[in-house]
């Protein structure tokens, strides 16, 4: 899976970069070890294990790097905050991508490892399951924040928790809550710029997640399954005289997005073109349908659930009778082309970020501790950010300039 980087990395500015990135580390030997580790990630070929990093970046022993990553008690949060601030100083995010990554493991004693179903892989794996938040910029998703989910089996497993040094505060919680906690850290503690949240919710319950985002007045665009339930809206279209077929009226029961798309009347979809990663020109037809989504989850007992007007984006492959994709969004005032640009990134952004970060050793960590995993992920972000700030990876645009009508039916 690892993607090898092309060309020799220029590390002329690395000492200054690391001096600022790791200023929060309390001891000089920690800061020196951090620079050595990042330098190794940038220069080491093949698997970026600690023994290989020590060889690729002389100056620290393998033992001292092991201690720095696995046992040293430094906080990863301030480092990630500085990295995010440094990135947004040069690159304003087009969106924040939230996705899951699986880290396959042998055995059962690495932090939070368990046999669990991985939706992105379509099967059960013995793995750690992590949540990543990435910054979307110039067609590239740059990981900026991480969380390691705690399986239910680890909640009361004192032996494994002790061996992996899992903090007492890290207990199993709802999957969506990991996402929201990461976003809250970035918005409230880091002060990152606001941008739409992109998430793939085809295989996970969406209701609680959307409620949390709506409560925070956060814009989002979520890819959903054909069976996602929404409330039909009886609305007129700005283009033409077509109306959504809704025989039961605006107060009809919730229906699946697939049923709603199938019930669209004489509204003509718009055709958009783009280039895929291989440079091929593709095109599909898209329609934006006003719907209502439930945003009242988590409200006090006895209170009424709330419905909010939102947009359902539907994609039909050109000439095909059935839709290929469905997305829900509360983004206001965007053109259809802008919405589709974001929608097409939802399912590809996390795999692309994983492939990019794998070139910096993301999946090569061989330790078992909870903090060690977070320390290694933070070092990977630092190495990747350094490369990007020095001109690597960016400058790709997968959409062609093509006729794209402005969206005039806005979210209310």
């Amino acid at each position: 899976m690892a993607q090898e980087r092309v060309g020799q990395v220029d590390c002329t500015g690395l000492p200054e970069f690391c001096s600022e990135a790791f200023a929060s580390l309390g001891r000089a030997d920690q800061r020196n070890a951090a620079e050595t580790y990042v330098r190794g990630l940038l220069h080491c070929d093949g698997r970026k294990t600690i023994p290989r990093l020590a060889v690729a970046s002389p100056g620290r022993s393998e033992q001292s790097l092991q201690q720095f990553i696995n046992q040293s008690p430094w906080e990863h949060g301030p480092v990630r905050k500085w990295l995010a601030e440094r990135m947004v100083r040069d690159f304003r995010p087009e969106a924040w991508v939230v996705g899951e990554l699986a880290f396959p493991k042998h055995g059962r004693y690495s932090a939070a490892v368990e046999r669990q179903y991985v939706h992105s892989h379509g099967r059960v794996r013995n793995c750690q399951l992590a949540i990543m938040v990435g910054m979307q910029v110039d067609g590239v998703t740059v990981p900026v924040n991480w969380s390691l989910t705690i399986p239910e089996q680890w909640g009361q497993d004192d032996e494994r928790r002790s061996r992996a040094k899992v903090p007492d505060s890290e207990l199993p919680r709802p999957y969506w809550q990991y996402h929201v906690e990461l976003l809250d850290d970035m918005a409230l503690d880091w002060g990152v710029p606001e941008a739409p949240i992109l998430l793939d919710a085809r295989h996970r319950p969406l209701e609680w997640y959307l409620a949390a985002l709506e409560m925070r007045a956060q814009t989002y665009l979520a890819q959903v399954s054909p069976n996602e339930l929404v409330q039909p809206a009886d609305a007129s279209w700005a283009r033409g005289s077509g109306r959504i077929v809704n025989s039961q009226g605006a107060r009809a029961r919730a229906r699946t997005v697939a049923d709603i798309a199938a019930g669209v009347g004489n509204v003509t979809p718009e055709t958009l073109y783009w280039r895929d990663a291989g440079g091929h020109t593709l095109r599909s037809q898209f329609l934006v349908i006003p719907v209502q989504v439930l945003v009242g989850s988590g409200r006090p007992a006895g209170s009424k659930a709330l419905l909010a007007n939102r947009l359902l984006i539907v994609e039909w492959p050109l000439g095909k009778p059935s839709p290929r994709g469905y997305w829900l969004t509360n983004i206001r005032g965007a053109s259809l082309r802008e919405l589709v640009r974001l929608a097409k990134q939802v399912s590809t952004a996390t795999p692309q970020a994983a492939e990019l970060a794998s070139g910096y050793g993301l999946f090569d960590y061989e330790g078992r501790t909870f903090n060690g995993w977070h320390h290694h992920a933070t070092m990977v972000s630092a190495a990747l950010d350094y490369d990007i700030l020095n001109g690597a990876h960016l400058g790709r645009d997968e959409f062609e300039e093509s006729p794209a009508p402005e969206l005039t039916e806005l979210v209310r």
Side-chain angles (χ1 to χ4, degrees), residues 16 21 26 62 68 79 88 139 182 209 211 214 231 241 247 279 307 316 340 351 375 377 380 394 410:
E16 180 181 359
E62 175 186 336
F68 167 70
V79 178
V88 300
L182 286 177
Y209 199 167
E214 296 276 358
Q231 184 93 347
S241 59
S247 59
L307 291 173
W316 283 266
V340 170
H375 289 166
V380 170
L394 299 185
L410 304 183

Side-chain angles (χ1 to χ4, degrees), residues 2 230 242 350 362:
V230 297
T350 298
L362 178 62

Side-chain angles (χ1 to χ4, degrees), residues 310-337:
R310 296 298 173 241
L311 297 178
L312 169 65
I313 305 167
V314 185
E315 176 191 9
W316 283 266
L318 201 63
K320 301 294 184 180
S322 301
R324 175 164 57 191
Y326 306 86
W327 298 263
L328 286 173
T329 185
N330 64 350
I331 297 175
R332 301 172 182 272
S335 69
L336 177 58
R337 184 175 185 272

